[in-house]
Amino acid sequence: MKDISLCIMTRELCHELYKGWENDPDIYMDMDLFEPYQYNENAVNRYFDSKQDSSRVLFAIIKDDKPIGEIQLKQINYKSKECTLSIHMQNDDVKGHGYGSCAERLILQYAFNVLGMVAVNADTVIKNTRSQHVLEKVGFQYIREADGFKYYRYVR
């Protein structure tokens, strides 16, 4: 699958990923909040620590032994067997090559086959048409639009 794999995110991978990070203006509803990204070791440590809880699983998207993005299943609810997908690619150099689509297919397999989910939800900022295209390409169904977001669902 496009020569990428998923690996549970470690602190070291997180730092490697964010050393090459670029903020994407397409994911900001309010452009007044947008600013260029600058690597900060303490900020990355805080970010990594904030993702360590039982309601999520965070993976690094790996290509050629290097992290090129992150993908996670969050809001995991084992009772309803649903969760929410979130993906972010490192920078424009790794976008538009199918890596995000491949990563989403891999995480869906994990959600259904390992976690036993029956549905995976996702949302995008309305102006993020690239993300919407990827979700639809992978098989997510558009559900609704509200409060500046488009909502999607993939049911096994």
Side-chain angles (χ1 to χ4, degrees), residues 122-133:
D123 58 70
T124 72
V125 174
I126 287 174
K127 72 177 188 175
N128 192 348
T129 56
R130 185 185 311 207
S131 181
Q132 293 157 24
H133 170 75

Side-chain angles (χ1 to χ4, degrees), residues 3 8 22 26 35 37 40 70 137 140-141 154:
D3 300 324
I8 293 290
E22 293 175 13
D26 285 342
E35 57 186 53
Y37 176 79
N40 177 297
E70 66 179 24
K137 181 170 127 180
F140 278 82
Q141 300 298 309
Y154 190 111

Side-chain angles (χ1 to χ4, degrees), residues 87-141:
I87 183 171
H88 297 98
M89 301 303 285
Q90 187 177 42
N91 55 50
D92 284 344
D93 292 342
V94 297
K95 294 177 184 174
H97 300 285
Y99 305 136
S101 300
C102 182
E104 287 186 14
R105 287 185 185 100
L106 289 170
I107 201 108
L108 286 170
Q109 290 175 2
Y110 183 88
F112 297 130
N113 299 336
V114 176
L115 298 181
M117 299 290 114
V118 297
V120 177
N121 301 302
D123 58 70
T124 72
V125 174
I126 287 174
K127 72 177 188 175
N128 192 348
T129 56
R130 185 185 311 207
S131 181
Q132 293 157 24
H133 170 75
V134 172
L135 288 169
E136 292 167 6
K137 181 170 127 180
V138 169
F140 278 82
Q141 300 298 309

